[in-house]
Amino acid sequence: MSDSALSRVNLFDSRADHASVAVESPLAYSLQRSGAPAPSAASRVVLREQAFLGHLILRGGAIVLDEALREVLDIGLPGRPNTLSWDASGERSIQWLSPDEWLLIVPGGEAFTVERRLRERLADASFAIVDVSGGQTLLTLEGEAVPELLMKSVVYDVDPSHFAVGKGVNTVFAKATVIVRRSGETRWELVVRRSFADYCYRWLLDAGEEYAIGVER
C-alpha cells in the first residue's frame, strides 16, 4: 500500500472514533465570546441555536418521495411550494424548496438512519439524498418583535399577515442568504450555512439590540 493510501486510511480510521473527537456547533465560539445577554423579562426577541440537527436534501418525484416519507417518518410532502409539513411530534419537518427539491430536518443523530431507510424504501426509483447536516445550522427567533427584526434584515416581505405559519422561503439576509421559516405564531427559524452562521448571529445581536434580544445557550 502506498504512503498516500495509508494516510487516507489512517485519516478515516481516526474519524471513526467519534468519542475522541470534540464536536462543536457552528456558533460555539461566538456564543462563548460574544458576551450576549441572556433572555430577560424585557426581551422581545429570544435567539437560540438548534445545533446538530440532521439536514437532508431530497430530490426526486413527488409521489414516490411522499410515499417513502409517510412510511418511514409518518410525514407527507407539503402540498404547496415554499411551505412546510411536520410530523405529529413537531420534531421533524419537510420543506418544499424547488420543483423537485425538499429539505428534511430531523433530530440530531437520526440523519444516517433516516437516509438509509429512505434509500431502502425508494430502491430503484429516480432520486437523490444528500446529507448537508455539517454544512448548515438552524437558529430560532421567538418573541413579539421578531417580524420587526427580520424586516430590517431580509428583502422578503415577512409581515405576519403575508407570511403565514408553515411558510418558508430562500431569501437574502443582510449580505448572506438564508431560509426563513415561520414555525409558530411568534416563532421563526433561520436555516443558515455554516460559513455564514457567525455573521448572521452577530447581525441579529446588533439589529435586535433595541428589542433587548437575549441569547439562550
Side-chain angles (χ1 to χ4, degrees):
M1 182 180 293
S2 68
D3 290 341
S4 61
L6 182 59
S7 299
R8 288 197 296 272
V9 171
N10 290 338
L11 173 64
F12 287 116
D13 286 347
S14 65
R15 287 180 178 176
D17 184 9
H18 298 296
S20 66
V21 178
V23 180
E24 291 189 333
S25 79
L27 285 180
Y29 182 83
S30 302
L31 289 170
Q32 295 170 4
R33 302 286 181 172
S34 67
S40 68
S43 298
R44 298 173 62 202
V45 177
V46 175
L47 169 63
R48 305 177 184 87
E49 181 189 20
Q50 302 292 321
F52 308 122
L53 299 179
H55 296 237
L56 298 172
I57 295 293
L58 311 182
R59 303 200 71 161
I63 295 177
V64 294
L65 286 178
D66 183 73
E67 292 174 347
L69 284 166
R70 290 182 186 277
E71 181 175 314
V72 173
L73 293 176
D74 196 24
I75 179 174
L77 292 181
R80 292 178 296 169
N82 294 327
T83 58
L84 297 86
S85 296
W86 288 271
D87 69 353
S89 70
E91 296 182 337
R92 298 162 190 82
S93 66
I94 182 83
Q95 179 181 349
W96 193 346
L97 297 178
S98 66
D100 68 343
E101 182 180 13
W102 291 264
L103 171 62
L104 174 64
I105 297 183
V106 298
E110 285 190 10
F112 180 81
T113 300
V114 168
E115 179 179 354
R116 176 179 56 78
R117 292 181 63 194
L118 285 173
R119 289 185 179 278
E120 291 173 352
R121 172 60 178 78
L122 290 164
D124 296 329
S126 179
F127 71 94
I129 303 176
V130 180
D131 188 338
V132 295
S133 305
Q136 51 194 45
T137 191
L138 188 142
L139 307 179
T140 65
L141 296 165
E142 192 156 7
E144 62 180 23
V146 174
E148 296 177 42
L149 172 57
L150 291 176
M151 287 175 191
K152 299 197 296 182
S153 308
V154 304
V155 299
Y156 196 86
D157 182 3
V158 292
D159 187 287
S161 63
H162 170 73
F163 206 109
V165 174
K167 185 171 184 175
V169 299
N170 283 286
T171 188
V172 175
F173 179 101
K175 295 183 179 180
T177 56
V178 302
I179 297 175
V180 179
R181 300 146 50 109
R182 189 178 179 194
S183 55
E185 287 299 325
T186 61
R187 189 174 189 271
W188 300 67
E189 299 174 347
L190 302 178
V191 181
V192 183
R193 292 183 185 177
R194 187 183 186 95
S195 57
F196 292 148
D198 178 74
Y199 169 76
C200 293
Y201 169 73
R202 294 179 184 277
W203 176 282
L204 288 168
L205 290 186
D206 183 63
E209 186 175 0
E210 65 176 294
Y211 311 115
I213 188 171
V215 178
E216 190 171 280
R217 293 171 174 80

